[in-house]
Amino acid sequence: MERLRLHEIGKYFDKTMNYIGFISALIASVVWGLVYNIDQKILLKSSPITMFFVGSIINIIILVPLFFISKESAKDIISIDRNQFCLLFVSQALVIVAGIAILYAIKYLGAPIASVFEISYPLFVAAFYFSFFGGTLNKNFWIGSTLIFIGGLIVANNS
């Protein structure tokens, strides 16, 4: 078996995965872990709807300047077609539903247990991909999904 040399790691990442995507996903995972715990503290004295509303206002304050700074944003808005707009609308409506739902889960279950159940979302990503977008699912998907689900049950029962 050939050993990977330290100076070849960059080539390895270039060939096998999108490095920026990998780092971004890792950052998102760490940040969401922190957010869930902060949210749990906030939800001791606030309702999920109020928290989501205030969070949306904060998002607008942060995102409006970023939108106008980005050169791609105006081009994206101008070139969006009706079908793309409908998908965007549905996607963002579902973001609201999921956001409020996870805040209720954090409030009533606590951040650790809520995250255990929420972590099963890759199963639903793949199921919707298969059902609505013509993707294919192989045995590795079913094995992995089963392990994720069983792992969630084990952690939830021990908490």
Side-chain angles (χ1 to χ4, degrees), residues 55-77:
S56 296
I57 291 171
I58 293 168
N59 285 338
I60 288 171
I61 292 168
I62 293 169
L63 290 175
V64 166
L66 291 176
F67 176 82
F68 287 109
I69 290 170
S70 170
K71 295 176 182 173
E72 297 173 352
S73 298
K75 188 174 24 172
D76 289 345
I77 293 292

Side-chain angles (χ1 to χ4, degrees), residues 30-105:
V30 171
V31 170
W32 278 120
L34 180 59
V35 166
Y36 275 33
N37 284 283
I38 292 170
D39 287 354
Q40 182 174 332
K41 295 288 185 191
I42 294 168
L43 289 166
L44 293 173
K45 297 181 181 179
S46 179
S47 76
I49 300 289
T50 301
M51 186 174 164
F52 198 82
F53 178 77
V54 172
S56 296
I57 291 171
I58 293 168
N59 285 338
I60 288 171
I61 292 168
I62 293 169
L63 290 175
V64 166
L66 291 176
F67 176 82
F68 287 109
I69 290 170
S70 170
K71 295 176 182 173
E72 297 173 352
S73 298
K75 188 174 24 172
D76 289 345
I77 293 292
I78 291 169
S79 66
I80 195 167
D81 62 25
R82 180 184 168 116
N83 186 43
Q84 206 62 11
F85 180 79
C86 288
L87 287 173
L88 181 62
F89 184 85
V90 168
S91 172
Q92 293 310 297
L94 291 171
V95 165
I96 292 170
V97 171
I100 292 171
I102 195 60
L103 290 175
Y104 272 101

